[in-house]
Amino acid sequence: MKRHYTILILVTVAATIALMRVVGCGTSRSARAVAAEKVYVAPGELDKYYAFLSGGQSGSVFVVGIPSCRLIREIPVFEPRAAYGYAVHEGDPRREELIATGGLWGDTHHPALSETHGVYDGRYLWINDLSNARLARVRLDTFEADKIVKIPNLQGAHGIAVVSPDTKYIVVNGEFEQPTDGMVTNPAPYTSVVAFVEPFTMEVKFEVRVPGNIDIADTSKDGRYSFSTVYNLEQGKDLASMIQFDRDAVAAIDIPAAEKAIAAGKGHVRNGVPILEGPENPGLLTMIAVPKNPHGVNVTPDGKYVIASGKLSPTVTIIDTKTLKIVAEPEVGLGPLHTTFDGRGNAYTSLFIDSQVVKWNIEKAIKGAPDYIVDRINVHYNIGHLQAVGGASMKPAGDYLLALNKLSKDQYLPVGPDMPEDQELIDISGEKMKMLASFPTPPEPHDAEFIAASVLSPKVKQVFEPAKDAIAAGSESVVRTGPHAVTVNMTMIRSAYTPDHFDVREGDQVTLRLTNVETVRDMIHGFALPDHDLNLALPPGATRTITVDAGKPGVYWYYCTNFCSALHLEMRGRMIVQPKDSTIAIPDWKAAQNVKGPVAGVPSTGAGQ
Ligand code: K7E
Ligand code: CUA
Ligand code: CA
């Protein structure tokens, strides 16, 4: 313990000096200019990378351009978001999935990108919901969640990882231990499971039981093992009992062995998923003892080692991924949480207590060379994850590293008690790390993954081919489909809805089938209907169908919520709700046409291709 205090004092002194050097009066004008130049992306120019940051309790994914640090988009996943018309209305498939699987909020921690041959292919991103044991998939061609599933038999879906090199499964760890048979009366110690999810069907194929709990996940680069940190090997149920042991474990699961056991019918099916028990399947599960309440687990880009960060121990544990034997346990600093890589043999570990990133050389640490620590840099403050570009893949770029800091304290203008989270971009291209920039985000990014713009941009879809149920321009209609049912087949294009009005009766169920017939990118039209709790957003080519109750008699202007042209404000139309006992015939809307489409002499568009 004494040694730790000494380290603490030394580190504090070093940190203070470093702080003066980095942000204090010592920062020269030219150093600032060099840093600014590195993150400056001129107006009209594009970033080199997309960074996907998990949104934590925002339930979403933040998309940030690197190196500019500009927020480009938020992808709502586990929370409805009116801005994008996401999961807001009854009948929306994502909303139905959310309700069926645990509710309209989530806690996202770990984005995981699909891989082909160990590098990111730009197809999908998976993200966990810790709180409700869910896994979601985001399509990277549309930046939209397209599937959300519940993982049975586990609670606290925390660490996730794709099984390298070709995304065979998504591994999902259960952090919160449960009675093994799900019965609260069972006196046996609680356990947990690692779930293996098929990436495309999102079906949970099998689960492997682990004694204790399971925190963070990674997989070996050859698809042989999944690795999970276990910080409650004690199987304690309170804080004091979870920190009794000096060593907990990394749980290594032999994936081919698990597949064999499943094929041989060795799984015990619970809630539709076969669960494998370690003791019944020798060789399936190896528990590697590592100190103490370990957190992050990260496989080196070359696949040789897996590194567990000690959290309550100032060490990281380096394990050979072939032999599963510990090869070194170097000290790195206080509160090591996560590790990432530059592809040049260096590892970067986040130090929560020291508020630092430490750069260390892997081979030197294994050989016991005294100079394995290469550099340290202060971050602001209390860093959780850190991620280098491609750091979790087989081909790190070795240029930028993002520090995802838990507390920003004095780094931004005070905005009430809840300050933004602070992300810091660090240049790791040289021997010494250099702080480049910081940017705030809403709560609360945990982890991040990067993908090169050159890989992802060409795959991004901005205009959709009309679907089967699309309404073509000229084929709009208002059809009474029953005594109390009307279907409105509507198109939208700058700057009008067709029809621009229609009549219904009080008590009618109104089905709106809407197609945005634009073929120009970035021409989103909204459809908001006052007093009907309705707002949709339709990209070019998209069709949405939704049914609403006609509501009280009156005139309701539907209008466009996405600014689209000089006539955006005029892009509106009326739903006229006649009283129930109204004897007026509902007129054919086509007979009652006013001026339609582009108005002569007024430019119909405020934006072009
Ligand atoms: Cu370290 Cu959920 Cu990845 Cu947060 S976890 S920091
Ligand atoms: Cu369409 Cu504004
Ligand atoms: Ca423990």
Side-chain angles (χ1 to χ4, degrees):
M1 208 57 208
K2 215 174 215 166
R3 190 162 57 149
H4 295 180
Y5 285 127
T6 317
I7 291 169
L8 183 63
I9 292 163
L10 284 176
V11 162
T12 309
V13 171
T16 311
I17 294 165
L19 192 70
M20 285 162 63
R21 187 152 37 88
V22 172
V23 296
C25 39
T27 313
S28 71
R29 257 178 176 270
S30 65
R32 282 171 183 248
V34 168
E37 174 83 17
K38 288 226 158 153
V39 297
Y40 182 66
V41 176
E45 288 177 5
L46 301 176
D47 278 295
K48 194 169 172 200
Y49 300 106
Y50 294 88
F52 293 93
L53 282 62
S54 60
Q57 60 271 38
S58 294
S60 58
V61 175
F62 305 139
V63 186
V64 172
I66 297 294
S68 75
C69 305
R70 300 179 293 200
L71 177 72
I72 322 172
R73 161 90 201 213
E74 183 174 5
I75 308 170
V77 181
F78 295 105
E79 221 176 79
R81 203 64 50 86
Y84 300 113
Y86 175 78
V88 178
H89 301 296
E90 216 179 291
D92 179 291
R94 295 297 84 72
R95 185 182 182 88
E96 300 301 316
E97 284 175 347
L98 286 173
I99 290 169
T101 56
L104 298 175
W105 69 284
D107 183 13
T108 65
H109 285 222
H110 300 109
L113 293 167
S114 56
E115 292 177 14
T116 303
H117 307 319
V119 294
Y120 303 139
D121 56 28
R123 288 181 297 163
Y124 294 107
L125 175 147
W126 287 270
I127 186 97
N128 69 313
D129 167 21
L130 191 152
S131 51
N132 301 299
R134 293 184 284 194
L135 181 69
R137 183 177 61 199
V138 172
R139 280 176 60 159
L140 290 182
D141 59 347
T142 58
F143 285 58
E144 277 178 337
D146 83 330
K147 186 107 185 126
I148 296 163
V149 296
K150 179 96 179 168
I151 312 292
N153 308 324
L154 67 75
Q155 195 174 93
H158 194 195
I160 73 166
V162 309
V163 172
S164 296
D166 292 312
T167 320
K168 189 163 192 193
Y169 303 101
I170 315 302
V171 174
V172 183
N173 283 353
E175 186 183 355
F176 303 155
E177 319 80 341
Q178 291 290 301
T180 293
D181 53 6
M183 309 293 282
V184 291
T185 47
N186 188 341
Y190 294 176
T191 59
S192 194
V193 296
V194 178
F196 290 78
V197 183
E198 207 284 329
F200 303 107
T201 61
M202 295 283 278
E203 205 184 310
V204 184
K205 287 298 197 188
F206 60 90
E207 294 175 335
V208 177
R209 187 171 310 287
V210 175
N213 77 332
I214 323 168
D215 193 18
I216 303 297
D218 201 355
T219 70
S220 64
K221 301 300 185 193
D222 58 0
R224 174 78 191 271
Y225 292 107
S226 83
F227 299 105
S228 306
T229 42
V230 174
Y231 66 74
N232 186 18
L233 195 65
E234 299 91 340
Q235 297 179 300
K237 297 192 181 79
D238 55 38
L239 171 64
S241 42
M242 290 183 203
I243 55 175
Q244 289 175 73
F245 296 171
D246 280 339
R247 292 181 97 89
D248 289 277
V250 165
I253 295 169
D254 185 328
I255 298 171
E259 288 169 331
K260 250 193 218 156
I262 288 295
K266 295 212 174 144
H268 302 270
V269 177
R270 211 176 124 215
N271 296 313
V273 178
I275 304 176
L276 294 171
E277 304 287 339
E280 296 175 11
N281 298 281
L284 170 68
L285 176 68
T286 306
M287 300 294 277
I288 307 157
V290 302
K292 164 174 190 169
N293 288 51
H295 186 53
V297 64
N298 301 92
V299 174
T300 53
D302 59 11
K304 279 190 187 164
Y305 306 110
V306 54
I307 293 167
S309 302
K311 194 167 77 185
L312 301 190
S313 158
T315 55
V316 288
T317 303
I318 309 173
I319 301 159
D320 186 308
T321 54
K322 291 272 178 301
T323 63
L324 304 184
K325 297 272 183 286
I326 294 170
V327 295
E329 210 155 85
E331 283 202 12
V332 290
L334 296 183
L337 290 188
H338 296 281
T339 299
T340 187
F341 308 98
D342 62 10
R344 296 187 298 266
N346 300 303
Y348 299 77
T349 299
S350 57
L351 302 173
F352 179 84
I353 297 172
D354 282 341
S355 284
Q356 279 186 341
V357 172
V358 55
K359 173 181 178 180
W360 53 278
N361 184 278
I362 301 166
E363 287 304 331
K364 280 187 179 175
I366 292 170
K367 285 191 190 114
D371 59 344
Y372 64 95
I373 300 285
V374 181
D375 192 22
R376 295 176 186 275
I377 192 168
N378 292 306
V379 292
H380 312 87
Y381 300 92
N382 300 95
I383 181 172
H385 274 268
L386 78 183
Q387 191 63 268
V389 177
S393 76
M394 289 170 76
K395 291 227 164 61
D399 46 5
Y400 300 105
L401 179 147
L402 193 66
L404 296 99
N405 306 315
K406 294 300 179 191
L407 301 171
S408 66
K409 298 181 190 173
D410 56 3
Q411 297 290 298
Y412 301 102
L413 292 174
V415 285
D418 193 356
M419 290 298 287
E421 275 25 82
D422 188 28
Q423 327 304 328
E424 290 179 313
L425 190 70
I426 297 168
D427 178 355
I428 56 165
S429 60
E431 184 76 354
K432 293 247 159 225
M433 293 178 274
K434 288 194 197 89
M435 182 62 71
L436 295 178
S438 71
F439 62 98
T441 60
E444 174 189 306
H446 285 252
D447 199 2
E449 293 283 3
F450 302 80
I451 188 164
S454 58
V455 172
L456 184 49
S457 293
K459 294 191 192 300
V460 176
K461 256 197 200 158
Q462 297 191 296
V463 176
F464 292 86
E465 288 301 319
K468 274 205 197 94
D469 60 346
I471 312 301
S475 68
E476 301 89 348
S477 61
V478 181
V479 190
R480 184 157 283 280
T481 53
H484 304 292
V486 175
T487 294
V488 182
N489 295 304
M490 184 182 283
T491 61
M492 45 180 76
I493 193 165
R494 284 156 289 161
S495 298
Y497 296 100
T498 306
D500 69 0
H501 69 280
F502 59 89
D503 288 84
V504 295
R505 263 190 225 100
E506 187 182 8
D508 279 345
Q509 292 297 303
V510 184
T511 298
L512 297 153
R513 182 176 298 134
L514 312 169
T515 298
N516 178 349
V517 294
E518 297 279 2
T519 54
V520 173
R521 69 173 171 182
D522 204 17
M523 269 304 134
I524 314 290
H525 294 294
F527 185 94
L529 189 60
D531 301 328
H532 286 74
D533 187 23
L534 178 59
N535 183 30
L536 302 170
L538 282 78
T543 298
R544 303 266 188 275
T545 301
I546 193 157
T547 300
V548 293
D549 190 285
K552 289 196 190 124
V555 172
Y556 301 95
W557 286 95
Y558 41 91
Y559 73 100
C560 179
T561 39
N562 288 55
F563 211 108
C564 52
S565 75
L567 288 171
H568 159 78
L569 294 173
E570 288 82 352
M571 186 167 174
R572 55 192 171 107
R574 290 166 301 147
M575 177 171 83
I576 302 155
V577 182
Q578 302 283 354
K580 205 173 257 165
D581 55 2
S582 161
T583 53
I584 68 149
I586 304 290
D588 173 17
W589 69 274
K590 275 191 174 161
Q593 288 300 288
N594 295 320
V595 188
K596 185 122 301 291
V599 181
V602 182
S604 66
T605 160
Q609 180 102 38

